[in-house]
């Protein structure tokens, strides 16, 4: 894994004048060297995407679907190799990297299915008024234009898939910018796309530095921006291009609510296991990882020791070891930030129940109780393996606590009561309510996104396709309806 990786320029391999190294967060070893496109090459990619707009939008559905099916199959064939690549560049334990490959396989398969059925057209009779006699409206969707997809480091394959696959399915050219820390998985997707018959110029994968993004963001030939990352960067992008179509999947402060009816030993064991697993999976570096547990006072004392024990049972260490549950964070700076936030909370009066130690880029799975409301840990997205616990007296108080956040991505509600589930669906200011499980559940075909500072628009293949396209109506006149 130490070869030099070319990038993908309008469907073909290319190299530039510079390179950069990708290193493992676990042990600092060199994983790969990546070629960097020049400004002229970036311009060539944008021009090619703009030039192919009409051709790609008119590409038959079976051609786009076949390409997407091909990528899905090839991901399956190379699954173990790709999982090890993800683990090496990201530090993600192999068990989670394998799961990420499996999800990307599904994303491309879903996109192939949508490419075959999307945009069939909706017919509407207009003769419901006398002035519409003999008229029929046919509505179809067409791409806004080329898409700029900006992907993060935490799911370096699957979140690239969530940019590329819907664009191809909708017939929209795409330029993908993978995260600088983890570009190799995105470049590998380019390798698989290059095996298809998609038009030249319909896709590029450009590992450019973050400081070169403003020019791409401002380019009028890229009217759609799909960004996954921090709320600070996401809203800065939107504010800089208010007339563009922006889909922003931003941060979260995921809450798991355990209500009074979820009280059997079996219930609490399940909740504790799920909470412990999904506060620490991906090293806590997921927008929907469990950061807050809000538990009814009637179950709190029985739940807390279960959570602590389940967190302490998480196996930490080398991400290439099949037994590892929790690997390092993306870099040492990220781990130091988590350390600072936890230390601040403890100084302010929080109880450290387990964890709280850093070793380089690794941070031990950590649980705190009674975190003061004004601390950074209570207000911001920690993006690390840290969990906070809070006791509440009523369902109303629990739901108010969930909503007491600038974020609103997803929430989990552990309850058996159907009416409570519907009350949660009405009351919680989030994009998704997961009943009977943690907020970390995501199916790649469902609408996924948030409210408040968690973003705008939705991912999930069909929903992203709708964001990438607009409705255009055609009215037929003089028909015998």
């Amino acid at each position: 894994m130490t070869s030099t990786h070319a990038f993908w320029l309008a469907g073909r391999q290319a190299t530039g004048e510079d390179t950069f190294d990708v290193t493992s967060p676990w042990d600092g070893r060199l994983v790969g060297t990546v070629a960097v496109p020049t400004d002229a090459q970036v311009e060539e990619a944008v021009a090619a995407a703009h030039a192919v707009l009409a051709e790609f939008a008119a590409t038959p559905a079976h051609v786009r679907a076949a390409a997407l099916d091909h990528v899905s199959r090839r991901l399956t064939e190379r699954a173990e190799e790709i999982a090890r690549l993800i683990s090496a560049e990201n530090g993600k334990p192999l068990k989670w990297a394998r799961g990420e490959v499996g999800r990307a396989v599904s994303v491309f398969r879903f996109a192939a299915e949508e490419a075959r059925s999307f945009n069939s057209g909706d017919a509407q009779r207009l003769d419901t008024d006398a002035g519409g006699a003999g008229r029929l409206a046919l509505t179809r969707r067409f791409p806004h234009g080329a898409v700029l997809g900006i992907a993060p480091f935490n799911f370096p394959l699957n979140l690239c898939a969530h940019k590329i696959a819907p664009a191809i399915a909708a017939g929209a050219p795409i330029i993908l910018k993978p995260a600088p820390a983890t570009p190799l998985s995105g470049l590998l997707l380019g390798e698989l796309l290059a095996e298809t018959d998609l038009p030249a110029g319909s896709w590029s994968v450009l590992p450019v530095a973050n400081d070169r993004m403003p020019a791409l963001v401002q380019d009028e030939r890229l009217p759609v921006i799909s960004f996954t990352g921090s709320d600070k960067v996401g809203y800065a992008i939107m504010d800089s291009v208010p007339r563009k179509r922006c889909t922003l999947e931003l941060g979260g402060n995921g809450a798991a609510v355990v209500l009074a009816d979820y009280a059997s030993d079996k219930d609490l064991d399940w909740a504790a296991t799920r909470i412990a697993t999904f506060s620490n999976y991906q090293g806590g570096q997921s927008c929907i990882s469990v950061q807050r547990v809000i538990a009814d006072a009637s179950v709190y004392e029985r739940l807390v020791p279960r959570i602590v024990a389940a967190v302490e049972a998480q196996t930490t260490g080398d991400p290439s070891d099949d037994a590892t549950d929790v690997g390092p964070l993306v870099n040492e700076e990220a781990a130091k930030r988590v350390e600072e936030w936890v230390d601040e909370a403890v100084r302010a009066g929080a109880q450290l129940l387990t964890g709280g130690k850093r070793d380089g880029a690794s941070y031990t799975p950590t649980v705190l109780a009674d975190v003061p409301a004004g601390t950074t840990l209570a207000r911001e997205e920690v993006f690390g393996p840290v969990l906070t616990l809070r006791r509440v007296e009523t369902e109303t108080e629990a739901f108010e606590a969930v909503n007491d956040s600038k974020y609103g991505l997803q929430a989990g509600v552990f309850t058996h009561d159907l009416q409570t589930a519907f009350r949660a669906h009405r009351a919680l200011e989030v994009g998704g309510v997961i009943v009977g499980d943690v907020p970390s559940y995501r199916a790649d075909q469902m609408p996924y996104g948030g409210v408040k500072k968690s973003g705008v628009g939705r991912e999930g293949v069909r929903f992203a396709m709708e964001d990438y396209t607009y409705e255009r109506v055609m009215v037929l006149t003089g028909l015998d309806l």
Side-chain angles (χ1 to χ4, degrees):
M1 291 190 198
T2 57
S3 59
T4 299
H5 297 260
F7 53 86
W8 295 92
L9 170 56
R12 71 179 193 278
Q13 280 191 313
T15 56
E17 297 171 356
D18 296 319
T19 63
F20 68 93
D21 291 336
V22 178
T23 58
S24 165
W26 170 247
D27 56 14
R29 67 184 172 88
L30 179 66
V31 179
T33 300
V34 175
V36 179
T38 65
D39 289 344
Q41 288 170 320
V42 172
E43 166 59 27
E44 183 181 347
V46 175
H50 186 69
V52 81
L53 282 174
E55 177 188 350
F56 195 36
T59 300
H62 72 86
V63 174
R64 288 178 277 116
L68 292 161
D69 273 332
H70 174 84
V71 174
S72 182
R73 287 193 302 271
R74 294 288 283 139
L75 286 170
T76 300
E77 292 167 1
R78 298 176 61 179
E80 184 64 17
E81 169 202 347
I82 298 169
R84 292 187 178 277
L85 177 65
I86 292 170
S87 182
E89 69 170 340
N90 173 273
K92 181 175 301 192
L94 266 177
K95 64 173 61 178
W96 296 114
R98 290 179 181 124
E100 181 174 349
V101 177
R103 289 180 60 189
V105 168
S106 296
V107 168
F108 279 94
R109 186 180 75 250
F110 295 150
E113 294 166 357
E114 292 292 348
R116 294 184 176 97
S117 61
F118 187 75
N119 210 22
S120 302
D122 295 321
Q124 181 183 19
R125 292 181 67 133
L126 301 180
D127 62 352
T128 50
D129 277 337
R135 296 179 187 267
L136 183 77
L138 182 69
T139 303
R140 293 191 295 157
R141 301 188 72 90
F142 294 84
H144 288 285
V147 177
L148 173 60
I150 307 172
F153 71 84
N154 56 330
F155 290 85
L157 180 75
N158 196 43
L159 292 185
C160 287
H162 270 286
K163 309 301 182 191
I164 292 174
I168 291 172
I174 181 164
I175 292 175
L176 175 74
K177 178 206 172 297
T182 57
L184 302 178
S185 300
L187 292 172
L188 189 142
L189 281 178
E191 182 180 335
L192 304 185
L193 287 168
E195 298 170 353
T196 72
D197 295 325
L198 293 174
S202 60
W203 60 274
S204 294
V205 182
L206 303 180
V208 297
N210 291 339
D211 60 8
R212 296 174 64 190
M213 287 311 298
L216 276 172
V217 166
Q218 293 289 334
D219 198 305
E220 294 181 357
R221 295 167 295 178
L222 301 171
V224 180
I225 298 173
S226 178
F227 171 84
T228 302
S230 73
D231 59 296
K232 179 180 178 181
V233 175
Y235 284 115
I237 288 173
M238 177 176 277
D239 291 344
S240 72
V241 285
R243 290 177 176 82
K244 286 197 176 190
R245 181 80 175 191
C246 291
T247 297
L248 306 178
E249 199 283 282
L250 307 177
N253 190 343
V257 178
V258 184
L259 293 175
D261 71 298
Y262 216 81
S264 72
D265 288 340
K266 181 179 178 181
D267 287 342
L268 295 179
D269 287 344
W270 163 257
T273 299
R274 297 294 284 177
I275 287 166
T277 298
F278 288 96
S279 64
N280 294 292
Y281 86 127
Q282 327 290 337
Q285 297 170 123
S286 168
C287 298
I288 46 177
S289 66
V290 187
Q291 182 171 335
R292 297 180 290 157
V293 175
I294 300 161
D296 189 272
S298 63
V299 299
Y300 184 86
E301 296 298 338
R302 295 166 57 214
L303 178 64
V304 169
R306 285 174 160 89
I307 290 176
V308 171
V311 167
E312 290 178 342
Q314 297 284 302
T315 300
T316 61
D318 186 344
S320 66
D321 187 333
D322 285 336
T324 298
D325 299 308
V326 186
L329 277 69
V330 68
N331 53 44
E332 187 170 359
E333 289 71 24
K336 286 180 177 178
R337 177 189 53 76
V338 172
E339 180 181 43
E340 290 169 1
W341 289 13
V342 170
D343 289 350
E344 176 202 24
V346 171
R347 288 194 302 271
Q351 293 181 273
L352 180 65
L353 303 182
T354 190
K357 297 177 181 178
R358 181 181 65 83
D359 181 9
S362 296
Y363 197 80
T364 55
T366 297
V367 182
L368 302 101
D370 305 321
V371 176
T375 60
T376 307
L377 186 60
R379 312 305 302 176
E380 300 294 336
E381 179 182 35
V382 65
F383 226 59
V386 177
L387 183 65
T388 68
L389 308 179
R390 174 176 174 180
R391 180 199 316 252
V392 293
E393 299 296 332
T394 65
E395 174 191 301
T396 298
E397 185 184 356
F399 292 169
E400 288 175 349
V402 173
N403 291 340
D404 184 21
S405 173
K406 67 181 180 180
Y407 297 110
L409 191 47
Q410 293 197 159
V413 180
F414 288 91
T415 182
H416 297 294
D417 187 82
L418 188 60
Q419 292 287 6
T420 300
F422 274 90
R423 286 196 297 272
H425 200 199
R426 285 196 306 271
L428 297 181
E429 298 166 354
V430 294
V433 177
I434 314 300
V435 177
D437 207 349
V438 290
S440 317
Y441 176 80
R442 177 184 179 183
D444 290 287
Q445 70 271 40
M446 77 182 196
Y448 174 76
V451 296
K452 298 192 283 189
K453 285 200 171 182
S454 286
V456 296
R458 291 295 180 268
E459 289 189 344
V461 175
R462 178 167 64 85
F463 304 94
M465 292 169 70
E466 290 175 356
D467 272 351
Y468 293 172
T469 57
Y470 68 96
E471 295 172 319
R472 185 188 298 169
V473 65
M474 176 175 66
V475 176
L476 302 174
T477 304
L479 302 178
D480 291 330
L481 297 174

